[in-house]
Amino acid sequence: MTLIQRPLRSVVVGLGSYLPSRILTNEELAAKVDTSDEWITQRTGIKERHIAAPGETTSMLGEKAARAALADAGLGPEDIDLVIVGTSTPDYTFPSTATQIQAALGMTHGAAFDLQAVCSGFVYALTTAEKFLRSGSHKRALVIGAETFSRILDWTDRTTCVLFGDGAGAIVLEARESEGSLAERGILTTHLRSDGRHRAKLHVDGGPSSTGTVGHLRMEGKEVFRFAVGMVTDVVTDAFAATGFTATDLSWFVPHQANRRIIDMSATKLGIAPEKVVATVHLHGNTSAASIPLALSVARDDGRIKRDDLVMLEAVGGGFTWGSALIRW
């Protein structure tokens, strides 16, 4: 008798996050650079952000988020065979932050690596892990977004230093057999895009091969805003086309938390009702690859996101990179 194996689907079984204890408010920033709480709030929606303590590295944030996600899943490090970290602020040029988290968790098995897609990093990492699990090569994955963007900011540049914060979030994915139904839990579809012609609009002006320095973040704010609202919604409409769902079918829209105006305008363009939008940018600022799992954690913990909800993730980052993931929670 020939046994027919059903297709595999990557199911979210754990979620966790971590934020540094130090909170930097708009009022504190206004005492350092020429800005104000009113200016920051009106243009970005940000009220405060968390800043890593001296000596508190990206891997330390990621490890704490990973441990929270594992506890939520009722699993231990021994149950994980893949660790993927989305980050643009690694502890070192090498080895990868993922291997540092792997070691901190006491793991000596499986594979661990970083993935760099800036603010799209978590969606890219989630998509990559989903492919590994769906292929049958791995059983469970830790997907982590972790950043210490405070370390690459020019704190004299009021146009960028007010935007970013530090933090980490993690998801545990498990490969499970599926009937292929869109009503079943798990990642239903993912879509990734990039266009490298736009480097100058959002980049760090340093690196090992160019300047031999870490560099600072530089951004053409108006151009980034225009691109984020005008171009990147295609990955969400692609997800709708792949599944047959529409904006009205969504339970929640969880976009990258860069700017409240970008979030609201993107949702309006896609026809997503305001009450379905999860926004945490006022609490965390832009935490790059960490922003989506941090937002997911807030919305799950306060009771909004529930089992079997249809959740759309969407992000855009420097490069430009952008992507979406549609999940039956």
Side-chain angles (χ1 to χ4, degrees), residues 117-120 202 227 256 315-322:
V118 201
C119 299
S120 304
L202 179 56
F227 189 88
H256 166 52
V316 57
F320 285 125
T321 64
W322 63 105

Side-chain angles (χ1 to χ4, degrees), residues 41-119:
T41 302
Q42 285 183 350
R43 287 162 177 78
T44 71
I46 299 168
K47 300 294 291 185
E48 60 188 37
R49 69 288 291 150
H50 292 250
I51 304 296
E56 192 173 32
T57 65
T58 296
S59 69
M60 292 177 183
L61 306 186
E63 178 201 350
K64 290 175 180 176
R67 289 190 183 279
L70 286 169
D72 186 54
L75 299 170
E78 67 278 4
D79 299 309
I80 303 297
D81 53 7
L82 179 64
V83 181
I84 305 178
V85 176
T87 188
S88 297
T89 52
D91 292 11
Y92 308 103
T93 301
F94 68 85
S96 70
T97 298
T99 60
Q100 302 309 289
I101 294 173
Q102 179 192 35
L105 293 173
M107 292 176 59
T108 58
H109 63 281
F113 60 89
D114 289 356
L115 194 153
Q116 215 279 50
V118 201
C119 299

Side-chain angles (χ1 to χ4, degrees), residues 198-204 217-220 224 317-320:
H198 302 279
R199 181 197 66 83
K201 296 184 177 90
L202 179 56
H203 68 287
V204 169
L217 184 146
R218 306 299 179 193
M219 182 174 70
E220 299 175 11
V224 173
F320 285 125

Side-chain angles (χ1 to χ4, degrees), residues 1 6 11 33 42 71 84 101 143 179 211 243-244 251 268 272 318:
M1 178 182 295
R6 294 188 296 175
V11 178
V33 294
Q42 285 183 350
I84 305 178
I101 294 173
V143 182
E179 296 286 354
T211 64
T243 59
S251 305
T268 298
I272 299 172

Side-chain angles (χ1 to χ4, degrees), residues 9 24 34 36 49 67 74 107 119 121 152 157-158 168 174 202 206 214 220 228 253 259 283 294 297 309 317:
R9 181 171 290 175
L24 180 62
D34 182 18
S36 67
R49 69 288 291 150
R67 289 190 183 279
M107 292 176 59
C119 299
I152 59 171
D157 179 6
R158 70 169 188 161
E174 180 176 279
L202 179 56
V214 174
E220 299 175 11
F253 178 52
N259 179 301
L283 299 173
L294 283 170
S297 291
D309 278 354

